[in-house]
Amino acid sequence: MLFELLVNTAHAQAAAPAAGGQPSTLEMFVPFIFIFVIFYFLIIRPQSKRQKEHQKFLNEIKRGDEVITSSGILGRIEGITDQFVTVEIADGVKVKMLRTQIATTQKAATATEDKK
């Protein structure tokens, strides 16, 4: 008797139509859209802002500025072209490198250190 009741209940549940059906296409993409929005505001937007600031900095550097390269070399700019800069890293030692490899000025780096 109990067995028949359990079998009939299980059979009735299996035969019942699914309540709600499948979600629509829009409902399936909502989590992906939400994740993209989070990535945009936390990763993409700040990175593009940093790139614009760095490009502005590179356009404003001039001869005589003391800079730090992305590899950590300190020096003074001796010559500038559109693509390359010549950096004097010691008396009489000059290095020609890509302009984009200049990370920051020495003043900005020491100001950041002083804040810590």
Side-chain angles (χ1 to χ4, degrees), residues 8-93:
N8 288 339
T9 306
H11 182 62
Q13 287 177 352
Q22 289 188 346
S24 70
T25 306
L26 179 63
E27 290 173 344
M28 290 190 316
F29 284 114
V30 167
F32 294 111
I33 294 169
F34 182 70
I35 290 170
F36 178 77
V37 168
I38 290 173
F39 271 106
Y40 176 77
F41 283 107
L42 293 179
I43 298 172
I44 298 170
R45 188 168 180 246
Q47 180 64 27
S48 65
K49 186 177 178 181
R50 250 183 313 237
Q51 281 180 324
K52 286 179 185 177
E53 289 173 358
H54 190 253
Q55 189 62 41
K56 181 182 174 191
F57 161 73
L58 291 177
N59 291 334
E60 293 175 352
I61 60 173
K62 58 189 178 303
R63 189 169 188 243
D65 286 348
E66 292 187 357
V67 295
I68 300 174
T69 66
S70 58
S71 61
I73 298 173
L74 286 90
R76 183 179 16 250
I77 296 179
E78 291 296 318
I80 299 176
T81 63
D82 288 340
Q83 222 177 4
F84 297 99
V85 293
T86 303
V87 179
E88 184 176 23
I89 57 176
D91 291 334
V93 180

Side-chain angles (χ1 to χ4, degrees), residues 94-106:
K94 296 179 182 179
V95 177
K96 189 174 184 179
M97 62 179 52
L98 287 171
R99 190 176 191 148
T100 57
Q101 295 303 308
I102 303 294
T104 186
T105 61
Q106 190 173 1

